[in-house]
Amino acid sequence: MSTKKKKRTSRRRASSGTRKHKPFKTRLWRAFLLLLGFGLGLLAPWIAWLDHVVTSEFEGRKWDLPSRVYARPLSLYPGLELSAEALEAELEAAAYRRQASVSTPGSWTVSGSTYTLFRRSFEFEDGSQPALRVSVDMADGEVRGVRGPSGKLDLVRLDPAEIASIFPLHDEDRSLVSVESAPPLLITGLQAVEDRHFKNHPGVHWRGLLRAVAVNLKAGKTVQGGSTLTQQLVKNYYLSDERTLIRKLNEAFMALLLELHYDKAEILEAYLNEIYLGQQGRHGIHGFARASEFYFGQPLEALSEDRLALLVGMVRGASLYNPRRSPQRALERRNLVLDIFGSTGLLSAQQVSVAKARPLGVTARPTTGRSRYPAFIDLVRRQLRRDYREQDLRNEGLRIFTTLAPSDQKAAEAAVIEGMSALQSRGLPASLQSAVVLADVASGEVRALVGDRSPARAGFNRALDARRQVGSVIKPLVYLLALEHEQDYNLLTTVLDEPISLRQADGSTWSPDNYDDRSLGPIALIDALVQSRNQATVRVGMNIGVQSLISRLQQLGVEAPLPAVPSTLLGAVELTPLEVTQLYQSIAAGGYAVRLRAVTSVMHPDGDTLNRYPLRLVPEHRREAVALLNYALTQVVERGTARELPALLGSVKTIAGKTGTTNERRDSWFVGYTRDRVAVTWVGNDDNSPAGVTGGNAAMRLWAGLFRRLRLKSVDLDMPEGAYWTWVEMERNALSDPDCDGAVQMPFIDGTEPQQPSPCLQRLDRGNQRSIWRKWFD
């Protein structure tokens, strides 16, 4: 082979080798471009999806806010009848804290008979109320004077106690705060501790993130986080807590996208309201505003530097630094945050030193969120459901103002707890249950309600749902109907307490007995009621008509089926304690009925009043007849079946009341009222078995235990127009005179008084007798 040919061969080989190398590089580059394109093809939809999630949820963000339920606000003014114990109960319920000096809203102290308290600010339906330091002078069970910084005040309204929350289904509890209204130290301090580059980074602080990665790789586990405030918000708002690379990538990209679309103020405000800061039962505490109320019982704007530092420190771990469970660890974390506040110039060295010397200052237990009065809140929710959907109650952040008086509720709960224990010690069954309803006579506002012998226990609410026969507590309505027929009946009308047999629809015969198995024969109508005579009551009721009683019960709000049978006249009708309270409210109010209510108004979070529940008085009875019945019921307490009540009360005030006992002593009832309060107590077994109880040996004792703790005002026995007081001799049903032996004053509807003078009156030979003593209270 020639040299030339060899050279050509070498060139061909070289050329051939070059051609083989170029296709390999091309394929590698093409593979890279393909993978890059494929990656970008996948990344673009992924980023687009993340962007959609970020913008759609953040722009339309609307936190589901629980509804807040408040007790009635206590108004203090000179002349208000209020004991020192009741005032302290009201302050305790509203989470006021007793301190040596009153320097912050929500605190109080007492010196002698003068209470000094710092009222919190509060937004009422009639406007905003600022914080105010006031002094209240107390003496002899009443407020003698109220003073503020500028002198005497006519009235001071305290912020109401928060008694419950109605939570969203996801069980997050929060109150909202804006960036503008948040304490400046919270805004700057949060950034100093958690994200010093917040104002400048685009959502992710790359150097901090890389530093955290390096530390974690060196440690072999996650020991340091590099998350910005924006990333923390993304994690809380959008993502789960799982620690995976995919979640961390999602967090970083979503943080970048969030900062791309929204300004720093919007992001920071969302963070302030979203961050998790604790747990109450199954409800998570979210946001600084709610955490302030949860841990300190104060609004966020009222917190001092040390308390703000504690909340900021808890961002790193709400459970780890829980000040109630781990106070020492929380104290150390708080002091570390205070040092950061000092090193960054947010606080001076002296401010840091003073703040670190303070205790944590958290309340012993949360005063928010939980339903402290489950039976009453049950009534509130039932009344609200007439106007609101359950979803609205759970999600709209409504502010619900109720009628509950915390001091009255405390008295009712104590009466039940102590009273039921006392009944057991007297030999009654330990299985007994009880219920109490206390209402204002004039307004029908429910002041206290207990549905279980253990008042804090939620579940079966006997005050609303224990439908039991009411026994003799129905009798006053029978006699009221009779007295409205004044041409036939007055308090001295003779009625027969004799055996009576009535044929029933099924052909059987019903023959009621008296509780003592005796019949007294002819008896005055008032004595038939005072002594609770069954046979006399049935005779009066049959003359009036069973249907008349049923119609009156329905008129007063009873919705349950009512049997049109004679035994209804003796209380063989099943009512709840709340329904019985409704019946007697109209009697105690002199014939004016008002629907019992637990809610006064509902406000939207923006301040608009959505609903008011005004007072509506409706005349349901003839007032003259009610006035006579009121007197008769005071006689039940003075000399009838409730005659032991004054001794139990330790008071000589004039009280009206009625006992009730059902067959085989299954149920014990007592209904009583003063000038301004009406209350019903019930005692019995849940299974309706015989319990050995009577109206006097059980329920009346609970009623007495309640009213021993309340101020007592005698029943108003002034006669309305058309009725008057006169002196009579009861045995002869004759007119008499105060100078005659056995003469008593008794009310009559004009024209129904006795016409014949007694022998004593005749002897006195008063020529113009009627002009002297008639119309005693004209």
Side-chain angles (χ1 to χ4, degrees), residues 19-148:
R19 283 195 299 269
K20 287 181 181 179
H21 183 65
K22 282 182 180 179
F24 174 74
K25 286 185 176 181
T26 300
R27 285 196 302 273
L28 186 63
W29 178 246
R30 286 176 179 174
F32 171 75
L33 291 177
L34 182 62
L35 288 173
L36 179 63
F38 183 73
L40 290 174
L42 290 178
L43 185 63
W46 180 35
I47 297 296
W49 178 76
L50 291 178
D51 186 70
H52 171 73
V53 171
V54 166
T55 55
S56 61
E57 292 194 24
F58 198 82
E59 285 180 1
R61 73 187 184 281
K62 179 179 179 296
W63 281 284
D64 289 338
L65 299 177
S67 293
R68 308 291 180 207
V69 185
Y70 298 96
R72 67 96 178 88
L74 177 64
S75 294
L76 300 171
Y77 54 87
L80 172 67
E81 292 188 4
L82 182 74
S83 68
E85 293 79 11
L87 175 58
E88 292 184 15
E90 295 281 341
L91 294 174
E92 179 187 9
Y96 278 70
R97 288 183 293 177
R98 186 171 183 173
Q99 297 179 341
S101 62
V102 177
S103 56
T104 57
S107 59
W108 70 277
T109 190
V110 61
S111 177
S113 59
T114 298
Y115 285 77
T116 303
L117 55 95
F118 207 139
R119 180 186 72 184
R120 304 185 191 94
S121 61
F122 194 82
E123 189 72 31
F124 286 100
E125 61 176 329
D126 57 1
S128 180
Q129 177 177 273
L132 180 68
R133 193 175 187 272
V134 298
S135 294
V136 183
D137 298 321
M138 306 283 292
D140 299 326
E142 71 173 36
V143 176
R144 292 296 176 86
V146 183
R147 290 170 284 115

Side-chain angles (χ1 to χ4, degrees), residues 442-445 594-595 597 613-617:
S443 66
E445 294 182 350
V594 59
R595 183 87 170 184
R597 58 179 182 158
Y613 297 84
L615 178 65
R616 292 187 178 91
L617 286 172

Side-chain angles (χ1 to χ4, degrees), residues 183-186 188-189 192-193 303-310 312 334-358:
L185 182 60
L186 174 62
T188 53
V193 174
L303 292 192
S304 54
E305 295 91 343
D306 55 300
R307 294 177 178 179
L308 287 172
L310 176 60
V312 170
R334 184 205 69 176
N335 290 344
L336 175 61
V337 171
L338 285 170
D339 286 335
I340 295 174
F341 286 1
S343 65
T344 54
L346 299 178
L347 295 179
S348 67
Q350 182 180 1
Q351 287 176 306
V352 171
S353 178
V354 170
K356 290 173 72 173
R358 292 174 181 151

Side-chain angles (χ1 to χ4, degrees), residues 566-767:
S567 59
T568 296
L569 300 168
L570 299 183
V573 55
E574 295 183 344
L575 301 177
T576 67
L578 185 70
E579 289 173 327
V580 174
T581 309
Q582 181 71 75
L583 297 180
Y584 274 79
Q585 177 278 326
S586 63
I587 297 172
Y592 288 98
V594 59
R595 183 87 170 184
L596 294 183
R597 58 179 182 158
V599 180
T600 56
S601 63
V602 178
M603 286 179 61
H604 193 270
D606 62 11
D608 291 338
T609 299
L610 301 180
N611 250 328
R612 289 187 179 91
Y613 297 84
L615 178 65
R616 292 187 178 91
L617 286 172
V618 180
E620 299 288 9
H621 315 292
R622 285 191 53 189
R623 296 189 63 219
E624 313 95 289
V626 172
L628 271 58
L629 180 65
N630 276 332
Y631 167 73
L633 291 176
T634 67
Q635 295 303 293
V636 172
V637 174
E638 183 174 322
R639 58 186 179 89
T641 56
R643 59 186 174 274
E644 293 183 15
L645 181 61
L648 293 172
L649 288 171
S651 172
V652 296
K653 298 288 186 180
T654 303
I655 309 295
K658 187 69 186 77
T659 57
T661 307
T662 59
N663 291 339
E664 299 184 71
R665 295 188 172 187
R666 298 171 187 270
D667 301 280
S668 171
W669 291 88
F670 188 75
V671 187
Y673 56 90
T674 63
R675 183 183 297 255
D676 58 348
R677 288 184 171 99
V678 56
V680 171
T681 51
W682 168 84
V683 175
N685 283 324
D686 280 342
D687 62 4
N688 202 25
S689 61
V693 295
T694 66
N697 78 353
M700 187 175 74
R701 293 179 176 273
L702 263 62
W703 195 98
L706 168 58
F707 276 79
R708 278 199 305 268
R709 295 171 167 85
L710 305 176
R711 68 187 190 279
L712 291 174
K713 291 184 178 181
S714 292
V715 172
D716 183 2
L717 292 178
D718 286 348
M719 290 296 111
E721 184 177 356
Y724 63 90
W725 291 87
T726 191
W727 289 92
V728 297
E729 184 177 332
M730 289 186 61
E731 289 184 2
R732 287 187 169 88
N733 191 3
L735 297 174
S736 189
D737 186 273
D739 292 332
C740 293
D741 292 339
V744 296
Q745 275 187 304
M746 191 169 291
F748 291 88
I749 296 174
D750 196 4
T752 68
E753 69 278 4
Q755 299 301 308
Q756 297 300 318
S758 67
C760 175
L761 185 59
Q762 289 175 337
R763 285 195 303 270
L764 291 174
D765 193 24
R766 294 178 182 270

Side-chain angles (χ1 to χ4, degrees), residues 105-425:
S107 59
W108 70 277
T109 190
V110 61
S111 177
S113 59
T114 298
Y115 285 77
T116 303
L117 55 95
F118 207 139
R119 180 186 72 184
R120 304 185 191 94
S121 61
F122 194 82
E123 189 72 31
F124 286 100
E125 61 176 329
D126 57 1
S128 180
Q129 177 177 273
L132 180 68
R133 193 175 187 272
V134 298
S135 294
V136 183
D137 298 321
M138 306 283 292
D140 299 326
E142 71 173 36
V143 176
R144 292 296 176 86
V146 183
R147 290 170 284 115
S150 302
K152 293 183 178 180
L153 298 171
D154 293 329
L155 183 144
V156 168
R157 180 173 55 178
L158 302 185
D159 50 298
E162 182 184 319
I163 58 175
S165 293
I166 302 175
F167 290 100
L169 292 175
H170 51 63
D171 290 328
E172 290 184 359
D173 189 8
R174 63 166 51 80
S175 299
L176 298 185
V177 63
S178 64
V179 170
E180 293 80 9
S181 61
L185 182 60
L186 174 62
I187 302 298
T188 53
L190 183 62
Q191 295 175 57
V193 174
E194 289 295 323
D195 188 357
R196 297 189 184 183
H197 301 280
F198 175 73
K199 292 182 179 179
N200 302 314
H201 64 62
V204 177
H205 186 231
W206 298 110
R207 280 190 297 174
L209 184 61
L210 293 173
R211 182 171 59 250
V213 169
V215 170
N216 294 338
L217 288 174
K218 184 177 180 180
K221 59 181 180 179
T222 302
V223 296
Q224 180 176 328
S227 296
T228 63
L229 288 178
T230 312
Q231 288 175 275
Q232 292 179 40
L233 174 62
V234 165
K235 182 178 70 173
N236 278 274
Y237 199 75
Y238 299 102
L239 303 174
S240 66
D241 289 330
E242 62 177 347
R243 298 194 172 201
T244 63
L245 177 62
I246 293 297
R247 190 201 61 78
K248 198 65 181 176
L249 287 173
N250 282 337
E251 177 188 298
F253 278 117
M254 293 176 84
L256 293 169
L257 292 167
L258 198 62
E259 295 259 6
L260 180 65
H261 291 289
Y262 306 102
D263 61 39
K264 295 287 186 179
E266 290 179 283
I267 293 170
L268 187 58
E269 183 170 298
Y271 185 94
L272 294 176
N273 292 302
E274 179 62 29
I275 190 67
Y276 173 79
L277 289 171
Q279 193 77 22
Q280 184 177 21
R282 69 174 188 270
H283 309 301
I285 305 300
H286 288 260
F288 286 94
R290 193 54 177 171
S292 175
E293 298 162 346
F294 179 70
Y295 291 111
F296 304 111
Q298 288 188 320
L300 183 61
E301 62 269 17
L303 292 192
S304 54
E305 295 91 343
D306 55 300
R307 294 177 178 179
L308 287 172
L310 176 60
L311 294 184
V312 170
M314 292 177 67
V315 168
R316 193 62 60 89
S319 179
L320 182 64
Y321 300 112
N322 185 313
R324 291 195 180 100
R325 288 207 307 263
S326 306
Q328 184 58 38
R329 187 185 297 153
L331 183 67
E332 293 171 358
R333 176 63 179 166
R334 184 205 69 176
N335 290 344
L336 175 61
V337 171
L338 285 170
D339 286 335
I340 295 174
F341 286 1
S343 65
T344 54
L346 299 178
L347 295 179
S348 67
Q350 182 180 1
Q351 287 176 306
V352 171
S353 178
V354 170
K356 290 173 72 173
R358 292 174 181 151
L360 289 174
V362 298
T363 58
R365 63 182 187 277
T367 56
T368 60
R370 64 189 179 93
S371 296
R372 287 184 273 168
Y373 314 113
F376 180 82
I377 298 303
D378 187 14
L379 176 61
V380 168
R381 295 184 72 145
R382 295 188 197 198
Q383 293 191 355
L384 287 172
R385 285 184 189 131
R386 297 198 295 254
D387 301 307
Y388 297 94
R389 299 177 305 166
E390 181 70 16
Q391 179 182 350
D392 296 330
L393 295 177
R394 289 184 176 276
N395 301 337
E396 293 297 324
L398 303 178
R399 305 176 73 218
I400 300 161
F401 295 92
T402 74
T403 62
L404 182 125
S407 55
D408 290 353
Q409 179 70 26
K410 182 177 182 180
E413 293 180 358
V416 168
I417 293 171
E418 295 177 14
M420 295 302 291
S421 176
L423 293 182
Q424 186 174 343
S425 67

